[in-house]
């Protein structure tokens, strides 16, 4: 089967920005990741073997001079030493185990140096998603012109409503062609005339380079969850914000706060952090309830929330984003990261509900054991980890969700 991932930068920006922060702050940390299919999908026979094959093919994917020059031009917050690191980076199939159960369920695990394995997640999810539609032959029926037209209309509605939005759709896209089509439609729409809103760019670095857009993204839950595993969840957000400040000195200033729920984050979110970070990202819970908590927190510091960005990225579609925009535009600077709704919207095709989560970590390779970690979401269905670990972390932070 053809190679799914052919470009090093066919990845979300946040994997690179986190990789840089990991090397800068936790260069010897080792981690384990696990694949989770929330729908318990039964995969076709031979699927795991093809996933293994596609991961082996990643060993031939290296960053090009053109990609380095693009990162240097568009992402000047990335230090030169990190670009040198990327020039020498090579994937290894040895970091990954893939198998299928007798029932056909798919299992994937990564283990290795955090700075290495961190760059696998998005690529492997994109591989699994695209392969699934190729195996079940749904890919043959994808109408990309229809997707272009639908996406163009979605962009029109968002721009007319004043929404500031970007594409976050790499991980569960139907295919690279689908994401390419959606990004092209959004760019074409945005450039067609002046709008109240703004199309900001895409999380996918390769497509940002292809269409001369801004690659967008900061961090994912794994950064905070790994720190929680190493040092405990009570102060994980504090340590994550300090590490991010050390590496980026005020750049990439949108913080993802919900790795262990709102309450423990709010105890860690002091006035200096509130002033340093440009805003916060809402990725779980009720969007309006979370927004009101954010506004109240800023108010407690004497900060006008209207000067702060709040990025919404929790399973959004066009209608939901416009609804939030109408409510939030007078209270904060809202923006939206929208994923599967753009990159996997075909008739009779169900987007996959798959994630890869960091589940355990050790501070250095010398430690003989890993410490478990988990993610505690504002949505009960989004908790990720062993039930006993989730319970232990909840007790440690006096979780009331």
């Amino acid at each position: 089967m053809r190679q799914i991932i052919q470009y090093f930068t066919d990845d979300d920006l946040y994997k690179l920005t986190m990789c840089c922060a990991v090397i800068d702050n936790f260069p010897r940390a080792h981690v384990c990741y696990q694949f989770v299919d929330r729908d318990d999908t039964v995969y076709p026979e031979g699927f795991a073997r093809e996933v293994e094959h596609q991961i082996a093919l990643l060993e031939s994917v290296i960053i090009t001079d053109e990609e380095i020059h693009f990162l240097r031009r568009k992402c000047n917050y990335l230090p030169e030493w990190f670009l040198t690191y990327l020039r020498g980076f090579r994937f290894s199939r040895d970091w990954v185990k893939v198998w299928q159960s007798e029932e056909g369920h798919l299992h994937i695990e990564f283990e290795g140096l955090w700075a290495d394995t961190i760059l696998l997640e998005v690529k492997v999810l994109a591989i699994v998603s695209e392969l699934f539609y190729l195996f079940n032959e749904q890919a043959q029926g994808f109408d990309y012109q229809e997707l272009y037209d639908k996406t163009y209309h979605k962009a029109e509605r968002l721009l007319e409503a004043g929404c500031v939005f970007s594409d976050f759709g790499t991980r569960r896209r139907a295919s690279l062609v689908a994401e390419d089509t959606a990004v092209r439609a959004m760019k074409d729409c945005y450039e067609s005339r002046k709008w109240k809103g703004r199309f900001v760019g895409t999380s996918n670095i390769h497509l940002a380079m292809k269409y001369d857009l801004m690659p967008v993204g900061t961090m994912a839950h794994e950064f905070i969850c790994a720190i929680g595993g190493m040092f405990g969840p009570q102060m994980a957000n504090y340590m994550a914000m300090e590490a991010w400040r050390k590496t980026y000195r005020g750049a990439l200033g949108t913080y993802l706060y919900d790795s262990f729920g709102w309450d423990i984050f709010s105890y860690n979110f002091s006035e200096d952090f509130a002033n340093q970070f440009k805003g916060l990202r809402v990725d779980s819970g009720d969007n309006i309830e979370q927004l009101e908590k954010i506004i109240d927190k800023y108010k407690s510091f004497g900060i006008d929330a209207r000067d702060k960005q709040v990025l919404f990225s929790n399973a959004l579609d066009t209608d939901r984003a416009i609804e939030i925009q109408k409510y939030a535009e007078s209270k904060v600077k809202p923006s939206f990261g929208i994923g599967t709704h753009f990159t996997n919207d075909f008739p009779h095709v169900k987007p996959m509900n798959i994630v890869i989560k960091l589940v355990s970590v050790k501070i250095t390779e010398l430690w003989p054991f890993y410490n478990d970690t988990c993610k505690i979401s504002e949505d009960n269905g989004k908790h990720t980890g062993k039930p006993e670990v989730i319970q232990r972390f909840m007790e440690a932070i006096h979780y009331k969700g």
Side-chain angles (χ1 to χ4, degrees), residues 173-200:
R173 68 192 183 196
S175 65
L176 172 58
V177 178
E179 187 172 19
D180 188 309
T181 301
V183 169
R184 178 165 54 86
M186 286 182 269
K187 182 184 181 186
D188 288 350
C189 181
Y190 183 53
E191 292 179 348
S192 66
R193 66 177 178 88
K194 290 187 177 180
W195 301 91
K196 181 181 177 184
R198 242 176 346 118
F199 170 53
V200 176

Side-chain angles (χ1 to χ4, degrees), residues 15 28 147 178 201 210 299 311 353 388:
K15 300 307 300 189
R28 295 175 65 180
L147 179 66
K210 180 176 180 179
K299 186 177 180 180
L311 171 60
N353 194 2
E388 65 272 20

Side-chain angles (χ1 to χ4, degrees), residues 110-150:
F110 309 158
E111 181 179 356
L113 186 69
W114 193 9
D116 289 337
T117 53
I118 196 170
L119 296 181
L120 280 168
E121 176 211 358
V122 171
K123 285 180 164 65
V124 172
L125 286 172
I127 286 169
V128 171
S129 186
E130 185 160 351
L131 278 180
F132 185 72
Y133 303 118
L134 289 168
F135 263 70
N136 66 22
E137 298 185 350
Q138 285 181 298
Q140 298 174 8
F142 290 163
D143 185 335
Y144 289 113
Q145 183 59 51
E146 181 183 19
L147 179 66
Y148 177 93
D149 295 340
K150 286 166 68 174

Side-chain angles (χ1 to χ4, degrees), residues 305-320:
R306 291 175 296 182
D307 296 328
K308 291 294 184 179
Q309 180 190 65
V310 177
L311 171 60
F312 296 89
S313 60
N314 184 19
L316 295 178
D317 58 25
T318 303
D319 291 339
R320 203 168 293 138

Side-chain angles (χ1 to χ4, degrees), residues 73-362:
R73 180 165 61 90
K74 290 283 191 176
C75 307
N76 57 12
Y77 44 78
L78 292 174
E80 193 64 31
W81 66 258
F82 181 64
L83 300 182
T84 301
Y85 170 81
L86 292 181
R87 285 187 184 278
F89 186 90
R90 298 294 183 271
F91 289 100
S92 172
R93 71 190 78 185
D94 295 337
W95 304 334
V96 189
K97 294 179 182 178
V98 187
W99 73 99
Q100 271 177 273
S101 67
E102 290 183 4
E103 297 81 12
H105 299 306
L106 183 64
H107 299 269
I108 306 174
E109 294 180 352
F110 309 158
E111 181 179 356
L113 186 69
W114 193 9
D116 289 337
T117 53
I118 196 170
L119 296 181
L120 280 168
E121 176 211 358
V122 171
K123 285 180 164 65
V124 172
L125 286 172
I127 286 169
V128 171
S129 186
E130 185 160 351
L131 278 180
F132 185 72
Y133 303 118
L134 289 168
F135 263 70
N136 66 22
E137 298 185 350
Q138 285 181 298
Q140 298 174 8
F142 290 163
D143 185 335
Y144 289 113
Q145 183 59 51
E146 181 183 19
L147 179 66
Y148 177 93
D149 295 340
K150 286 166 68 174
T151 309
Y152 195 101
H153 179 60
K154 292 171 185 176
E156 282 182 317
R157 293 185 60 211
L158 290 165
L159 291 166
E160 285 173 350
C163 296
V164 176
F165 65 97
S166 54
D167 157 52
F168 273 21
T170 300
R171 294 182 301 160
R172 290 183 283 270
R173 68 192 183 196
S175 65
L176 172 58
V177 178
E179 187 172 19
D180 188 309
T181 301
V183 169
R184 178 165 54 86
M186 286 182 269
K187 182 184 181 186
D188 288 350
C189 181
Y190 183 53
E191 292 179 348
S192 66
R193 66 177 178 88
K194 290 187 177 180
W195 301 91
K196 181 181 177 184
R198 242 176 346 118
F199 170 53
V200 176
T202 173
S203 62
N204 188 287
I205 309 163
H206 166 69
L207 293 175
M209 185 170 72
K210 180 176 180 179
Y211 292 107
D212 195 24
L213 297 168
M214 183 62 67
V216 294
T218 51
M219 66 176 67
H221 297 102
E222 73 172 272
F223 192 69
I224 301 95
C225 292
I227 294 171
M230 287 187 281
F231 304 106
Q234 295 93 331
M235 296 293 286
N237 281 291
Y238 174 85
M239 294 182 70
M241 287 185 282
E242 283 283 19
W244 207 255
R245 171 160 57 188
K246 172 179 175 288
T247 299
Y248 291 114
R249 302 172 183 265
L252 297 173
T254 302
Y255 187 76
L256 177 60
Y257 66 79
D258 68 334
S259 299
F260 300 119
W262 168 264
D263 288 345
I264 194 65
F265 162 74
S266 68
Y267 304 147
N268 282 214
F269 193 51
S270 53
E271 186 173 348
D272 58 337
F273 287 133
N275 281 308
Q276 175 202 335
F277 284 92
K278 296 179 179 71
L280 300 173
R281 176 177 157 200
V282 178
D283 197 52
S284 63
D286 181 87
N287 288 305
I288 301 305
E289 288 179 7
Q290 294 297 306
L291 175 61
E292 291 300 333
K293 288 180 180 180
I294 291 168
I295 291 170
D296 287 345
K297 188 66 178 179
Y298 281 131
K299 186 177 180 180
S300 73
F301 296 135
I303 295 172
D304 189 341
R306 291 175 296 182
D307 296 328
K308 291 294 184 179
Q309 180 190 65
V310 177
L311 171 60
F312 296 89
S313 60
N314 184 19
L316 295 178
D317 58 25
T318 303
D319 291 339
R320 203 168 293 138
I322 292 172
E323 179 184 347
I324 296 168
Q325 173 71 21
K326 289 177 181 176
Y327 182 86
E329 61 185 344
S330 64
K331 302 172 183 291
V332 295
K333 294 178 179 177
S335 60
F336 304 91
I338 304 176
T340 310
H341 177 63
F342 286 146
T343 63
N344 199 337
D345 187 9
F346 294 96
H348 314 298
V349 174
K350 182 182 179 183
M352 305 199 77
N353 194 2
I354 53 176
V355 294
I356 293 174
K357 290 297 181 184
L358 190 152
V359 295
S360 59
V361 57
K362 57 183 179 181

